[in-house]
């Protein structure tokens, strides 16, 4: 290529780079404006509302920014403890009264006077980091909360299948040529070299595709891999689920209460019999009743999934149920259809983004 050709190529590359930067800034500006508008809408609607309402905030894992567990967790599952503290401060600043979920329901059912705006903090799954990192924040500010437990994982070294698969994929231990890995191969990125680590984002997409299978099938395949010694290289370094001792400590002063999230976190629309539904839904409440204190008969649907038979069973034995539907709850909300706001670093890292998330859910 002659000198003039090289100059033209360099000039074009520079123009392409500048054009890309302009588009990136434009997208960032539009995102900022949209976030600001949604946050303003949420603030106005909250301030102008005269009817009693309940905002339920939902968390899963609460981990500091440098915690090694973050490398093996879905991005939409993690919140920073400092963010939790900011959420508490923001809720108080807009006039929301922290309240136990079951107390709000009880007052509503008895037609007692409710605050104009209440907020209930809830945590799904029963992660040990709820005790390590969330509980100290809640205790410091005397914030009541409900943790929905997967009862048969308490006091075990087990964890949920998405975390097992993420650890496998992001450490590069998947080996498509081995028979034990064949079940996983159709869900991996096309053309991805065997044994090469996936990014956390790519592995998260595999988790989404794997949800075509039922939970017991996935766990059975993972168990086969473990029995073959193929998972030992990336076993978790610490217990990830609460112990009964930690549950009892949190319940001891009445600040933290515990509801039901099934025995094994199976998606209920994937279970194939009434007996299986009974095992997960009724059995979980039976397990909870072995705890000495802090139990509330409120159910939380894993993944938000349910069937008609499962919903009828929940209505028979529980006083209320939380869904994955987004929005706030007026005093006339069906108590088996409670709406919540699922929070994580990506949608609530600061006050503006948290209000924006609430505003989006109120549209």
């Amino acid at each position: 290529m002659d000198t003039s050709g090289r100059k033209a190529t360099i000039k074009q590359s520079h123009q392409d780079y500048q054009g890309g930067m302009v588009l990136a800034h434009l997208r960032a500006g539009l995102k900022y404006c949209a976030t600001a508008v949604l946050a303003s809408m949420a603030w106005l609607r909250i301030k102008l509302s005269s009817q009693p309402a309940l905002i339920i905030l939902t968390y899963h894992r609460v981990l500091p920014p440098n915690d090694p567990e973050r490398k093996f967790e879905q991005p939409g599952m993690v919140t920073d403890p400092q963010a939790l503290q900011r959420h508490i401060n923001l809720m108080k600043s807009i006039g929301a009264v922290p309240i136990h979920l079951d107390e709000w329901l009880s007052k509503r059912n008895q037609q007692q006077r409710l605050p104009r705006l209440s907020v209930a903090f809830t945590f799904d799954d029963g992660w040990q980091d709820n005790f390590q990192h969330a509980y100290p924040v809640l205790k410091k500010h005397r914030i009541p909360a409900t943790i929905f437990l997967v009862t048969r994982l308490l006091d075990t070294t087990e964890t949920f299948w998405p975390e097992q698969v993420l650890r496998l994929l992001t450490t590069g231990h998947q080996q498509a040529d081995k028979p034990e890995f064949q079940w996983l191969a159709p869900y991996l990125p096309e053309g991805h070299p065997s044994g090469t680590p996936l990014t956390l984002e790519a592995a998260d997409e595999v988790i989404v595709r794997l949800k075509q299978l039922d939970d017991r099938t996935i766990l059975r395949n993972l168990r086969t891999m473990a029995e073959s010694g193929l998972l030992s290289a990336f076993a978790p370094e610490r217990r990830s689920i609460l112990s009964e001792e930690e549950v009892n400590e949190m319940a001891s002063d009445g600040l933290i209460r515990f509801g039901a999230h099934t025995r094994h976190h199976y998606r209920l629309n994937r279970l194939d019999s009434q007996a299986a539904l009974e095992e997960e839904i009724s059995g979980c409440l039976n397990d909870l009743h072995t705890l000495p204190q802090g139990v509330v008969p409120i159910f939380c649907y894993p993944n938000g999934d349910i069937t008609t038979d499962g919903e009828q069973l929940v209505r028979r034995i529980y006083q209320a149920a939380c869904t994955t539907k987004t929005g706030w709850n007026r005093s006339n909300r069906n108590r088996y259809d409670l709406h919540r706001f699922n929070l994580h670093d990506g949608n609530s890292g600061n006050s503006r983004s948290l209000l924006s998330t609430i505003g989006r859910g109120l549209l």
Side-chain angles (χ1 to χ4, degrees):
M1 183 183 295
D2 59 21
T3 303
S4 60
R6 285 197 297 272
K7 288 181 178 179
T9 300
I10 292 170
K11 182 178 180 181
Q12 183 62 49
S13 298
H14 183 65
Q15 289 174 340
D16 291 343
Y17 172 77
Q18 287 184 317
M21 290 296 293
V22 169
L23 286 174
H25 285 302
L26 181 60
R27 284 194 293 269
L30 289 172
K31 182 178 180 181
Y32 179 89
C33 290
T35 299
V37 168
L38 287 168
S40 299
M41 288 174 57
W43 188 87
L44 283 171
R45 190 163 182 192
I46 288 169
K47 287 297 182 181
L48 296 176
S49 176
S50 58
Q51 299 178 21
L54 171 69
I55 290 176
I56 305 176
L57 303 182
T58 300
Y59 303 86
H60 290 82
R61 306 203 68 174
V62 181
L63 295 168
N66 60 349
D67 194 290
E69 285 295 297
R70 280 178 169 266
K71 296 186 298 183
F72 309 112
E73 190 51 83
Q74 294 175 276
M77 289 276 290
V78 187
T79 306
D80 182 336
Q82 293 302 313
L84 174 60
Q85 181 153 317
R86 288 194 296 271
H87 298 170
I88 292 170
N89 294 339
L90 177 62
M91 288 295 105
K92 288 182 177 179
S93 74
I94 62 175
V97 177
I99 192 171
H100 272 299
L101 179 55
D102 61 301
E103 288 183 5
W104 188 88
L105 290 165
S106 177
K107 287 184 176 183
R108 187 197 69 166
N109 294 343
Q110 296 173 24
Q111 297 184 337
Q112 296 180 18
R113 184 177 178 84
L114 290 167
R116 185 185 62 83
L117 181 65
S118 303
V119 59
F121 288 78
T122 66
F123 296 78
D124 287 5
D125 303 335
W127 295 95
Q128 189 193 28
D129 51 66
N130 293 178
F131 174 75
Q132 294 173 313
H133 302 299
Y135 180 51
V137 177
L138 298 169
K139 189 174 183 180
K140 175 182 177 181
H141 296 278
R142 302 307 300 171
I143 300 298
T146 302
I147 298 177
F148 292 105
L149 298 175
V150 179
T151 52
R152 288 303 167 95
L153 267 62
L154 292 175
D155 286 308
T156 74
T157 57
E158 297 180 33
T159 190
F160 304 99
W161 68 257
E163 284 68 33
Q164 296 183 52
V165 173
L166 282 173
R167 198 173 287 267
L168 170 71
L169 298 179
T170 57
T171 52
H173 283 84
Q174 75 278 12
Q175 301 173 48
D177 56 329
K178 291 185 176 294
E180 295 86 354
F181 284 86
Q182 291 305 303
W183 71 277
L184 188 57
Y187 304 95
L188 298 176
E190 187 174 353
H192 188 81
S194 176
T196 304
L198 269 64
T199 64
L200 188 58
E201 291 73 20
D204 194 24
E205 292 175 4
V206 175
I207 299 300
V208 174
R209 291 192 288 272
L210 277 172
K211 289 187 177 181
Q212 299 171 44
L213 303 175
D214 68 89
D215 302 285
R216 288 184 292 189
T217 296
I218 297 170
L219 288 167
R220 184 171 61 249
N221 282 302
L222 287 170
R223 196 173 300 114
T224 299
M225 295 168 70
E227 290 170 353
S228 302
L230 298 173
L231 304 188
S232 58
F234 62 95
E237 296 180 0
R238 67 192 191 204
R239 174 170 51 84
S240 61
I241 305 300
L242 288 166
S243 67
E244 188 170 330
E245 181 180 357
E246 290 161 343
V247 167
N248 291 335
E249 180 175 340
M250 287 190 284
S252 61
D253 65 355
L255 191 65
I256 311 299
R257 296 177 183 173
F258 299 90
H261 203 32
T262 73
R263 277 182 160 171
H264 301 94
H265 204 272
Y266 295 153
R267 287 165 290 157
L268 299 176
N269 63 333
R270 295 283 184 169
L271 298 181
D272 55 8
S273 69
Q274 184 67 24
L277 287 171
E278 291 272 358
E279 167 76 10
E280 292 301 312
I281 296 172
S282 301
C284 184
L285 187 58
N286 293 337
D287 292 343
L288 286 176
H289 282 154
T290 66
L291 298 174
Q293 56 193 331
V295 173
V296 291
I298 301 176
F299 190 76
C300 178
Y301 298 113
N303 213 55
D305 297 318
I306 192 59
T307 62
T308 300
D309 288 344
E311 186 173 8
Q312 290 175 351
L313 181 57
V314 168
R315 286 172 176 268
R316 285 203 303 271
I317 64 175
Y318 290 93
Q319 293 180 2
C322 289
T323 70
T324 55
K325 297 174 185 176
T326 302
W328 63 3
N329 303 278
R330 295 291 193 183
S331 57
N332 61 352
R333 169 75 67 194
N334 181 339
R335 69 181 187 273
Y336 294 100
D337 186 38
L338 297 175
H339 292 195
R340 304 190 291 170
F341 294 94
N342 182 57
L343 302 182
H344 50 81
D345 288 343
N347 70 359
S348 60
N350 55 52
S351 297
R352 186 181 66 252
S353 61
L354 172 56
L355 277 176
S356 173
T357 296
I358 293 174
R360 190 178 298 111
L362 297 181
L363 290 177

